Amino acid sequence: RKEVEQDPGPFNVPEGATVAFNCTYSNSASQSFFWYRQDCRKEPKLLMSVYSSGNEDGRFTAQLNRASQYISLLIRDSKLSDSATYLCVVTPHTGGFKTIFGAGTRLFVKA
Amino acid sequence: DTEVTQTPKHLVMGMTNKKSLKCEQHMGHRAMYWYKQKAKKPPELMFVYSYEKLSINESVPSRFSPECPNSSLLNLHLHALQPEDSALYLCASSQDQAAGYTFGSGTRLTVV
């Protein structure tokens, strides 16, 4: 089993749709959780940190379920500009700054 | 300054060449990283420096040699690379594990 697994995608959605991505992690002692966005041929950019209480930033909501060891990202009212690859990232309890990237989920938002 | 700056942006090198990639951050972050990313794959960790000391080497071949001259700079020295080493090389920095990374825009390396 991979340490971090994401929905394989790609997701093809129309503008205005709501889309949800899930990510599971295998190490129950994992400490920190993030969603990154990566545009084609660009660097990954931090989208959101993910907390147990859940957090929201505009159209984006991230949730963490420690009991089930999964993280989710919800995008409401999708825009064309949301088209990108979304990477789930987990930091284990041990490992001194080592983080583990999921394989990424590609999102295409179409007019 | 909230950026990580990488140079050069593009590099083409022969298998017998020696070259260096450079990375700089002025955010006071205490950890700096080198990642390698192939097309349609996630970034793969190569090296981590924490407080200017190498803390993680992910079994990277010795033809890649990292160097951290000071808390703001990170270099990756390249020697005798193979064509399969062609990739996007990303530098990142972070304050701590809970903070997430700031990535540079990367160096797109082609080995011929």
Side-chain angles (χ1 to χ4, degrees), chain A residues 46-80:
Chain A
L46 181 63
L47 182 64
M48 300 178 78
S49 299
V50 189
Y51 307 112
S52 296
S53 55
N55 47 310
E56 187 173 314
D57 183 3
R59 297 181 294 109
F60 298 83
T61 300
Q63 300 238 315
L64 166 63
N65 184 318
R66 283 192 182 271
S68 302
Q69 294 179 213
Y70 80 81
I71 308 152
S72 63
L73 177 68
L74 184 76
I75 306 176
R76 290 180 297 277
D77 189 21
S78 298
K79 311 291 185 192
L80 295 174

PDB file of all heavy atoms in Angstrom, chain A residues 46-80:
ATOM      1  N   LEU A  46       1.542  25.930  -2.455  1.00  0.00           N
ATOM      2  CA  LEU A  46       0.722  25.555  -1.308  1.00  0.00           C
ATOM      3  C   LEU A  46      -0.664  26.165  -1.453  1.00  0.00           C
ATOM      4  O   LEU A  46      -0.813  27.384  -1.578  1.00  0.00           O
ATOM      5  CB  LEU A  46       1.390  26.030  -0.016  1.00  0.00           C
ATOM      6  CG  LEU A  46       0.667  25.698   1.276  1.00  0.00           C
ATOM      7  CD1 LEU A  46       0.580  24.188   1.480  1.00  0.00           C
ATOM      8  CD2 LEU A  46       1.384  26.352   2.456  1.00  0.00           C
ATOM      9  N   LEU A  47      -1.665  25.308  -1.434  1.00  0.00           N
ATOM     10  CA  LEU A  47      -3.050  25.768  -1.519  1.00  0.00           C
ATOM     11  C   LEU A  47      -3.632  25.940  -0.122  1.00  0.00           C
ATOM     12  O   LEU A  47      -4.158  26.995   0.215  1.00  0.00           O
ATOM     13  CB  LEU A  47      -3.868  24.745  -2.322  1.00  0.00           C
ATOM     14  CG  LEU A  47      -5.332  25.046  -2.577  1.00  0.00           C
ATOM     15  CD1 LEU A  47      -5.481  26.290  -3.442  1.00  0.00           C
ATOM     16  CD2 LEU A  47      -6.018  23.856  -3.249  1.00  0.00           C
ATOM     17  N   MET A  48      -3.522  24.892   0.689  1.00  0.00           N
ATOM     18  CA  MET A  48      -4.074  24.944   2.036  1.00  0.00           C
ATOM     19  C   MET A  48      -3.373  23.954   2.940  1.00  0.00           C
ATOM     20  O   MET A  48      -3.003  22.866   2.505  1.00  0.00           O
ATOM     21  CB  MET A  48      -5.559  24.550   2.044  1.00  0.00           C
ATOM     22  CG  MET A  48      -6.464  25.397   1.211  1.00  0.00           C
ATOM     23  SD  MET A  48      -8.160  24.822   1.250  1.00  0.00           S
ATOM     24  CE  MET A  48      -8.666  25.465   2.848  1.00  0.00           C
ATOM     25  N   SER A  49      -3.210  24.347   4.193  1.00  0.00           N
ATOM     26  CA  SER A  49      -2.898  23.378   5.230  1.00  0.00           C
ATOM     27  C   SER A  49      -4.226  22.752   5.652  1.00  0.00           C
ATOM     28  O   SER A  49      -5.289  23.354   5.473  1.00  0.00           O
ATOM     29  CB  SER A  49      -2.227  24.059   6.416  1.00  0.00           C
ATOM     30  OG  SER A  49      -1.019  24.665   6.009  1.00  0.00           O
ATOM     31  N   VAL A  50      -4.173  21.552   6.217  1.00  0.00           N
ATOM     32  CA  VAL A  50      -5.404  20.857   6.583  1.00  0.00           C
ATOM     33  C   VAL A  50      -5.376  20.557   8.072  1.00  0.00           C
ATOM     34  O   VAL A  50      -4.412  19.960   8.568  1.00  0.00           O
ATOM     35  CB  VAL A  50      -5.553  19.529   5.807  1.00  0.00           C
ATOM     36  CG1 VAL A  50      -6.932  18.938   6.039  1.00  0.00           C
ATOM     37  CG2 VAL A  50      -5.313  19.743   4.315  1.00  0.00           C
ATOM     38  N   TYR A  51      -6.430  20.962   8.758  1.00  0.00           N
ATOM     39  CA  TYR A  51      -6.491  20.782  10.200  1.00  0.00           C
ATOM     40  C   TYR A  51      -7.659  19.883  10.575  1.00  0.00           C
ATOM     41  O   TYR A  51      -8.631  19.758   9.822  1.00  0.00           O
ATOM     42  CB  TYR A  51      -6.636  22.138  10.899  1.00  0.00           C
ATOM     43  CG  TYR A  51      -5.591  23.137  10.483  1.00  0.00           C
ATOM     44  CD1 TYR A  51      -5.917  24.272   9.748  1.00  0.00           C
ATOM     45  CD2 TYR A  51      -4.251  22.939  10.816  1.00  0.00           C
ATOM     46  CE1 TYR A  51      -4.957  25.183   9.353  1.00  0.00           C
ATOM     47  CE2 TYR A  51      -3.273  23.845  10.428  1.00  0.00           C
ATOM     48  CZ  TYR A  51      -3.639  24.958   9.695  1.00  0.00           C
ATOM     49  OH  TYR A  51      -2.672  25.847   9.313  1.00  0.00           O
ATOM     50  N   SER A  52      -7.584  19.306  11.757  1.00  0.00           N
ATOM     51  CA  SER A  52      -8.642  18.404  12.215  1.00  0.00           C
ATOM     52  C   SER A  52      -9.989  19.105  12.280  1.00  0.00           C
ATOM     53  O   SER A  52     -11.035  18.488  12.069  1.00  0.00           O
ATOM     54  CB  SER A  52      -8.296  17.837  13.594  1.00  0.00           C
ATOM     55  OG  SER A  52      -7.131  17.051  13.517  1.00  0.00           O
ATOM     56  N   SER A  53      -9.964  20.389  12.561  1.00  0.00           N
ATOM     57  CA  SER A  53     -11.208  21.147  12.675  1.00  0.00           C
ATOM     58  C   SER A  53     -11.755  21.544  11.308  1.00  0.00           C
ATOM     59  O   SER A  53     -12.838  22.111  11.208  1.00  0.00           O
ATOM     60  CB  SER A  53     -10.965  22.406  13.514  1.00  0.00           C
ATOM     61  OG  SER A  53      -9.907  23.162  12.963  1.00  0.00           O
ATOM     62  N   GLY A  54     -10.999  21.261  10.259  1.00  0.00           N
ATOM     63  CA  GLY A  54     -11.397  21.669   8.915  1.00  0.00           C
ATOM     64  C   GLY A  54     -11.059  23.132   8.706  1.00  0.00           C
ATOM     65  O   GLY A  54     -10.982  23.909   9.651  1.00  0.00           O
ATOM     66  N   ASN A  55     -10.818  23.490   7.474  1.00  0.00           N
ATOM     67  CA  ASN A  55     -10.574  24.903   7.193  1.00  0.00           C
ATOM     68  C   ASN A  55     -11.072  25.260   5.801  1.00  0.00           C
ATOM     69  O   ASN A  55     -11.170  24.413   4.921  1.00  0.00           O
ATOM     70  CB  ASN A  55      -9.100  25.279   7.381  1.00  0.00           C
ATOM     71  CG  ASN A  55      -8.134  24.328   6.732  1.00  0.00           C
ATOM     72  OD1 ASN A  55      -8.218  23.117   6.921  1.00  0.00           O
ATOM     73  ND2 ASN A  55      -7.205  24.858   5.964  1.00  0.00           N
ATOM     74  N   GLU A  56     -11.409  26.525   5.664  1.00  0.00           N
ATOM     75  CA  GLU A  56     -12.033  27.009   4.443  1.00  0.00           C
ATOM     76  C   GLU A  56     -11.315  28.262   3.988  1.00  0.00           C
ATOM     77  O   GLU A  56     -10.920  29.100   4.800  1.00  0.00           O
ATOM     78  CB  GLU A  56     -13.504  27.328   4.743  1.00  0.00           C
ATOM     79  CG  GLU A  56     -14.346  27.689   3.537  1.00  0.00           C
ATOM     80  CD  GLU A  56     -15.815  27.821   3.889  1.00  0.00           C
ATOM     81  OE1 GLU A  56     -16.349  26.944   4.588  1.00  0.00           O
ATOM     82  OE2 GLU A  56     -16.422  28.818   3.466  1.00  0.00           O
ATOM     83  N   ASP A  57     -11.144  28.374   2.669  1.00  0.00           N
ATOM     84  CA  ASP A  57     -10.551  29.580   2.090  1.00  0.00           C
ATOM     85  C   ASP A  57     -11.325  29.880   0.820  1.00  0.00           C
ATOM     86  O   ASP A  57     -11.077  29.281  -0.222  1.00  0.00           O
ATOM     87  CB  ASP A  57      -9.064  29.340   1.798  1.00  0.00           C
ATOM     88  CG  ASP A  57      -8.371  30.582   1.256  1.00  0.00           C
ATOM     89  OD1 ASP A  57      -9.029  31.646   1.162  1.00  0.00           O
ATOM     90  OD2 ASP A  57      -7.172  30.502   0.929  1.00  0.00           O
ATOM     91  N   GLY A  58     -12.286  30.748   0.938  1.00  0.00           N
ATOM     92  CA  GLY A  58     -13.104  31.083  -0.225  1.00  0.00           C
ATOM     93  C   GLY A  58     -13.893  29.872  -0.707  1.00  0.00           C
ATOM     94  O   GLY A  58     -14.661  29.275   0.032  1.00  0.00           O
ATOM     95  N   ARG A  59     -13.633  29.472  -1.944  1.00  0.00           N
ATOM     96  CA  ARG A  59     -14.363  28.344  -2.542  1.00  0.00           C
ATOM     97  C   ARG A  59     -13.773  26.983  -2.162  1.00  0.00           C
ATOM     98  O   ARG A  59     -14.305  25.953  -2.562  1.00  0.00           O
ATOM     99  CB  ARG A  59     -14.337  28.491  -4.068  1.00  0.00           C
ATOM    100  CG  ARG A  59     -15.033  29.743  -4.586  1.00  0.00           C
ATOM    101  CD  ARG A  59     -15.004  29.839  -6.107  1.00  0.00           C
ATOM    102  NE  ARG A  59     -13.649  30.019  -6.628  1.00  0.00           N
ATOM    103  CZ  ARG A  59     -12.964  29.087  -7.284  1.00  0.00           C
ATOM    104  NH1 ARG A  59     -13.489  27.879  -7.477  1.00  0.00           N
ATOM    105  NH2 ARG A  59     -11.744  29.350  -7.741  1.00  0.00           N
ATOM    106  N   PHE A  60     -12.697  26.989  -1.422  1.00  0.00           N
ATOM    107  CA  PHE A  60     -11.975  25.760  -1.093  1.00  0.00           C
ATOM    108  C   PHE A  60     -12.172  25.385   0.379  1.00  0.00           C
ATOM    109  O   PHE A  60     -12.037  26.229   1.256  1.00  0.00           O
ATOM    110  CB  PHE A  60     -10.469  25.942  -1.366  1.00  0.00           C
ATOM    111  CG  PHE A  60     -10.154  26.224  -2.808  1.00  0.00           C
ATOM    112  CD1 PHE A  60     -10.254  27.503  -3.323  1.00  0.00           C
ATOM    113  CD2 PHE A  60      -9.757  25.206  -3.646  1.00  0.00           C
ATOM    114  CE1 PHE A  60      -9.971  27.768  -4.661  1.00  0.00           C
ATOM    115  CE2 PHE A  60      -9.463  25.456  -4.982  1.00  0.00           C
ATOM    116  CZ  PHE A  60      -9.570  26.737  -5.486  1.00  0.00           C
ATOM    117  N   THR A  61     -12.493  24.102   0.602  1.00  0.00           N
ATOM    118  CA  THR A  61     -12.631  23.594   1.961  1.00  0.00           C
ATOM    119  C   THR A  61     -11.824  22.315   2.086  1.00  0.00           C
ATOM    120  O   THR A  61     -11.948  21.415   1.251  1.00  0.00           O
ATOM    121  CB  THR A  61     -14.100  23.292   2.295  1.00  0.00           C
ATOM    122  OG1 THR A  61     -14.878  24.485   2.170  1.00  0.00           O
ATOM    123  CG2 THR A  61     -14.235  22.754   3.718  1.00  0.00           C
ATOM    124  N   ALA A  62     -11.008  22.253   3.119  1.00  0.00           N
ATOM    125  CA  ALA A  62     -10.199  21.050   3.367  1.00  0.00           C
ATOM    126  C   ALA A  62     -10.617  20.443   4.688  1.00  0.00           C
ATOM    127  O   ALA A  62     -10.935  21.152   5.637  1.00  0.00           O
ATOM    128  CB  ALA A  62      -8.715  21.418   3.400  1.00  0.00           C
ATOM    129  N   GLN A  63     -10.634  19.114   4.724  1.00  0.00           N
ATOM    130  CA  GLN A  63     -11.012  18.419   5.946  1.00  0.00           C
ATOM    131  C   GLN A  63     -10.026  17.277   6.193  1.00  0.00           C
ATOM    132  O   GLN A  63      -9.492  16.682   5.267  1.00  0.00           O
ATOM    133  CB  GLN A  63     -12.407  17.828   5.802  1.00  0.00           C
ATOM    134  CG  GLN A  63     -13.489  18.847   5.537  1.00  0.00           C
ATOM    135  CD  GLN A  63     -14.567  18.803   6.603  1.00  0.00           C
ATOM    136  OE1 GLN A  63     -15.000  17.744   6.955  1.00  0.00           O
ATOM    137  NE2 GLN A  63     -14.976  19.957   7.104  1.00  0.00           N
ATOM    138  N   LEU A  64      -9.836  16.982   7.471  1.00  0.00           N
ATOM    139  CA  LEU A  64      -8.975  15.875   7.896  1.00  0.00           C
ATOM    140  C   LEU A  64      -9.789  14.951   8.795  1.00  0.00           C
ATOM    141  O   LEU A  64     -10.433  15.420   9.736  1.00  0.00           O
ATOM    142  CB  LEU A  64      -7.769  16.437   8.665  1.00  0.00           C
ATOM    143  CG  LEU A  64      -6.927  15.454   9.477  1.00  0.00           C
ATOM    144  CD1 LEU A  64      -6.271  14.430   8.581  1.00  0.00           C
ATOM    145  CD2 LEU A  64      -5.897  16.205  10.307  1.00  0.00           C
ATOM    146  N   ASN A  65      -9.739  13.674   8.495  1.00  0.00           N
ATOM    147  CA  ASN A  65     -10.380  12.677   9.344  1.00  0.00           C
ATOM    148  C   ASN A  65      -9.293  11.733   9.823  1.00  0.00           C
ATOM    149  O   ASN A  65      -8.857  10.831   9.104  1.00  0.00           O
ATOM    150  CB  ASN A  65     -11.454  11.918   8.558  1.00  0.00           C
ATOM    151  CG  ASN A  65     -12.224  10.936   9.413  1.00  0.00           C
ATOM    152  OD1 ASN A  65     -11.649  10.228  10.248  1.00  0.00           O
ATOM    153  ND2 ASN A  65     -13.528  10.896   9.234  1.00  0.00           N
ATOM    154  N   ARG A  66      -8.833  11.965  11.042  1.00  0.00           N
ATOM    155  CA  ARG A  66      -7.710  11.168  11.567  1.00  0.00           C
ATOM    156  C   ARG A  66      -8.117   9.718  11.815  1.00  0.00           C
ATOM    157  O   ARG A  66      -7.328   8.799  11.636  1.00  0.00           O
ATOM    158  CB  ARG A  66      -7.174  11.775  12.858  1.00  0.00           C
ATOM    159  CG  ARG A  66      -6.316  13.003  12.640  1.00  0.00           C
ATOM    160  CD  ARG A  66      -5.589  13.382  13.911  1.00  0.00           C
ATOM    161  NE  ARG A  66      -4.786  14.580  13.760  1.00  0.00           N
ATOM    162  CZ  ARG A  66      -3.508  14.561  13.357  1.00  0.00           C
ATOM    163  NH1 ARG A  66      -2.928  13.424  13.051  1.00  0.00           N
ATOM    164  NH2 ARG A  66      -2.841  15.693  13.267  1.00  0.00           N
ATOM    165  N   ALA A  67      -9.346   9.515  12.236  1.00  0.00           N
ATOM    166  CA  ALA A  67      -9.798   8.151  12.550  1.00  0.00           C
ATOM    167  C   ALA A  67      -9.762   7.265  11.303  1.00  0.00           C
ATOM    168  O   ALA A  67      -9.363   6.105  11.352  1.00  0.00           O
ATOM    169  CB  ALA A  67     -11.205   8.180  13.141  1.00  0.00           C
ATOM    170  N   SER A  68     -10.185   7.847  10.177  1.00  0.00           N
ATOM    171  CA  SER A  68     -10.211   7.085   8.925  1.00  0.00           C
ATOM    172  C   SER A  68      -8.981   7.330   8.069  1.00  0.00           C
ATOM    173  O   SER A  68      -8.850   6.749   6.997  1.00  0.00           O
ATOM    174  CB  SER A  68     -11.468   7.444   8.121  1.00  0.00           C
ATOM    175  OG  SER A  68     -12.631   7.174   8.874  1.00  0.00           O
ATOM    176  N   GLN A  69      -8.113   8.224   8.526  1.00  0.00           N
ATOM    177  CA  GLN A  69      -6.852   8.532   7.841  1.00  0.00           C
ATOM    178  C   GLN A  69      -7.088   8.990   6.414  1.00  0.00           C
ATOM    179  O   GLN A  69      -6.515   8.431   5.456  1.00  0.00           O
ATOM    180  CB  GLN A  69      -5.890   7.316   7.910  1.00  0.00           C
ATOM    181  CG  GLN A  69      -5.440   7.042   9.328  1.00  0.00           C
ATOM    182  CD  GLN A  69      -4.514   5.845   9.448  1.00  0.00           C
ATOM    183  OE1 GLN A  69      -4.537   5.138  10.442  1.00  0.00           O
ATOM    184  NE2 GLN A  69      -3.693   5.602   8.461  1.00  0.00           N
ATOM    185  N   TYR A  70      -7.955   9.985   6.282  1.00  0.00           N
ATOM    186  CA  TYR A  70      -8.100  10.575   4.958  1.00  0.00           C
ATOM    187  C   TYR A  70      -8.260  12.084   5.069  1.00  0.00           C
ATOM    188  O   TYR A  70      -8.648  12.631   6.088  1.00  0.00           O
ATOM    189  CB  TYR A  70      -9.223   9.932   4.144  1.00  0.00           C
ATOM    190  CG  TYR A  70     -10.621  10.407   4.459  1.00  0.00           C
ATOM    191  CD1 TYR A  70     -11.112  11.606   3.916  1.00  0.00           C
ATOM    192  CD2 TYR A  70     -11.470   9.642   5.236  1.00  0.00           C
ATOM    193  CE1 TYR A  70     -12.402  12.017   4.183  1.00  0.00           C
ATOM    194  CE2 TYR A  70     -12.758  10.055   5.509  1.00  0.00           C
ATOM    195  CZ  TYR A  70     -13.220  11.244   4.982  1.00  0.00           C
ATOM    196  OH  TYR A  70     -14.498  11.643   5.245  1.00  0.00           O
ATOM    197  N   ILE A  71      -7.934  12.707   3.941  1.00  0.00           N
ATOM    198  CA  ILE A  71      -7.998  14.159   3.790  1.00  0.00           C
ATOM    199  C   ILE A  71      -8.844  14.438   2.552  1.00  0.00           C
ATOM    200  O   ILE A  71      -8.801  13.663   1.587  1.00  0.00           O
ATOM    201  CB  ILE A  71      -6.584  14.736   3.535  1.00  0.00           C
ATOM    202  CG1 ILE A  71      -5.593  14.262   4.584  1.00  0.00           C
ATOM    203  CG2 ILE A  71      -6.602  16.251   3.511  1.00  0.00           C
ATOM    204  CD1 ILE A  71      -4.188  14.229   4.027  1.00  0.00           C
ATOM    205  N   SER A  72      -9.599  15.486   2.602  1.00  0.00           N
ATOM    206  CA  SER A  72     -10.402  15.823   1.434  1.00  0.00           C
ATOM    207  C   SER A  72     -10.222  17.298   1.077  1.00  0.00           C
ATOM    208  O   SER A  72      -9.835  18.119   1.901  1.00  0.00           O
ATOM    209  CB  SER A  72     -11.879  15.527   1.698  1.00  0.00           C
ATOM    210  OG  SER A  72     -12.359  16.343   2.754  1.00  0.00           O
ATOM    211  N   LEU A  73     -10.489  17.582  -0.192  1.00  0.00           N
ATOM    212  CA  LEU A  73     -10.486  18.957  -0.684  1.00  0.00           C
ATOM    213  C   LEU A  73     -11.741  19.147  -1.512  1.00  0.00           C
ATOM    214  O   LEU A  73     -11.993  18.381  -2.440  1.00  0.00           O
ATOM    215  CB  LEU A  73      -9.249  19.241  -1.536  1.00  0.00           C
ATOM    216  CG  LEU A  73      -9.181  20.637  -2.161  1.00  0.00           C
ATOM    217  CD1 LEU A  73      -8.993  21.701  -1.085  1.00  0.00           C
ATOM    218  CD2 LEU A  73      -8.059  20.722  -3.187  1.00  0.00           C
ATOM    219  N   LEU A  74     -12.528  20.146  -1.154  1.00  0.00           N
ATOM    220  CA  LEU A  74     -13.766  20.453  -1.870  1.00  0.00           C
ATOM    221  C   LEU A  74     -13.598  21.789  -2.562  1.00  0.00           C
ATOM    222  O   LEU A  74     -13.191  22.764  -1.925  1.00  0.00           O
ATOM    223  CB  LEU A  74     -14.939  20.502  -0.889  1.00  0.00           C
ATOM    224  CG  LEU A  74     -16.326  20.709  -1.478  1.00  0.00           C
ATOM    225  CD1 LEU A  74     -16.813  19.414  -2.125  1.00  0.00           C
ATOM    226  CD2 LEU A  74     -17.324  21.153  -0.406  1.00  0.00           C
ATOM    227  N   ILE A  75     -13.906  21.808  -3.842  1.00  0.00           N
ATOM    228  CA  ILE A  75     -13.872  23.064  -4.592  1.00  0.00           C
ATOM    229  C   ILE A  75     -15.294  23.363  -5.056  1.00  0.00           C
ATOM    230  O   ILE A  75     -15.911  22.564  -5.771  1.00  0.00           O
ATOM    231  CB  ILE A  75     -12.939  22.972  -5.821  1.00  0.00           C
ATOM    232  CG1 ILE A  75     -11.536  22.517  -5.412  1.00  0.00           C
ATOM    233  CG2 ILE A  75     -12.877  24.317  -6.543  1.00  0.00           C
ATOM    234  CD1 ILE A  75     -10.593  22.301  -6.590  1.00  0.00           C
ATOM    235  N   ARG A  76     -15.806  24.494  -4.628  1.00  0.00           N
ATOM    236  CA  ARG A  76     -17.165  24.902  -5.039  1.00  0.00           C
ATOM    237  C   ARG A  76     -17.084  25.899  -6.188  1.00  0.00           C
ATOM    238  O   ARG A  76     -16.087  26.610  -6.332  1.00  0.00           O
ATOM    239  CB  ARG A  76     -17.892  25.551  -3.865  1.00  0.00           C
ATOM    240  CG  ARG A  76     -18.268  24.595  -2.744  1.00  0.00           C
ATOM    241  CD  ARG A  76     -18.991  25.344  -1.617  1.00  0.00           C
ATOM    242  NE  ARG A  76     -18.113  26.343  -1.018  1.00  0.00           N
ATOM    243  CZ  ARG A  76     -17.217  26.074  -0.089  1.00  0.00           C
ATOM    244  NH1 ARG A  76     -17.059  24.835   0.353  1.00  0.00           N
ATOM    245  NH2 ARG A  76     -16.462  27.038   0.398  1.00  0.00           N
ATOM    246  N   ASP A  77     -18.138  25.943  -7.006  1.00  0.00           N
ATOM    247  CA  ASP A  77     -18.223  26.928  -8.091  1.00  0.00           C
ATOM    248  C   ASP A  77     -16.933  26.933  -8.916  1.00  0.00           C
ATOM    249  O   ASP A  77     -16.259  27.976  -9.042  1.00  0.00           O
ATOM    250  CB  ASP A  77     -18.503  28.313  -7.499  1.00  0.00           C
ATOM    251  CG  ASP A  77     -18.831  29.355  -8.550  1.00  0.00           C
ATOM    252  OD1 ASP A  77     -19.238  28.969  -9.666  1.00  0.00           O
ATOM    253  OD2 ASP A  77     -18.643  30.558  -8.278  1.00  0.00           O
ATOM    254  N   SER A  78     -16.581  25.807  -9.477  1.00  0.00           N
ATOM    255  CA  SER A  78     -15.309  25.650 -10.196  1.00  0.00           C
ATOM    256  C   SER A  78     -15.143  26.698 -11.288  1.00  0.00           C
ATOM    257  O   SER A  78     -16.093  27.039 -12.002  1.00  0.00           O
ATOM    258  CB  SER A  78     -15.247  24.263 -10.848  1.00  0.00           C
ATOM    259  OG  SER A  78     -15.303  23.253  -9.881  1.00  0.00           O
ATOM    260  N   LYS A  79     -13.918  27.198 -11.405  1.00  0.00           N
ATOM    261  CA  LYS A  79     -13.544  28.159 -12.453  1.00  0.00           C
ATOM    262  C   LYS A  79     -12.593  27.467 -13.427  1.00  0.00           C
ATOM    263  O   LYS A  79     -11.906  26.514 -13.073  1.00  0.00           O
ATOM    264  CB  LYS A  79     -12.832  29.374 -11.841  1.00  0.00           C
ATOM    265  CG  LYS A  79     -13.520  30.007 -10.653  1.00  0.00           C
ATOM    266  CD  LYS A  79     -14.795  30.696 -11.027  1.00  0.00           C
ATOM    267  CE  LYS A  79     -15.394  31.422  -9.817  1.00  0.00           C
ATOM    268  NZ  LYS A  79     -16.782  31.864 -10.099  1.00  0.00           N
ATOM    269  N   LEU A  80     -12.545  28.017 -14.634  1.00  0.00           N
ATOM    270  CA  LEU A  80     -11.589  27.497 -15.623  1.00  0.00           C
ATOM    271  C   LEU A  80     -10.178  27.504 -15.057  1.00  0.00           C
ATOM    272  O   LEU A  80      -9.377  26.594 -15.302  1.00  0.00           O
ATOM    273  CB  LEU A  80     -11.646  28.329 -16.909  1.00  0.00           C
ATOM    274  CG  LEU A  80     -12.934  28.282 -17.706  1.00  0.00           C
ATOM    275  CD1 LEU A  80     -12.870  29.267 -18.870  1.00  0.00           C
ATOM    276  CD2 LEU A  80     -13.220  26.885 -18.208  1.00  0.00           C
TER     277      LEU A  80
END
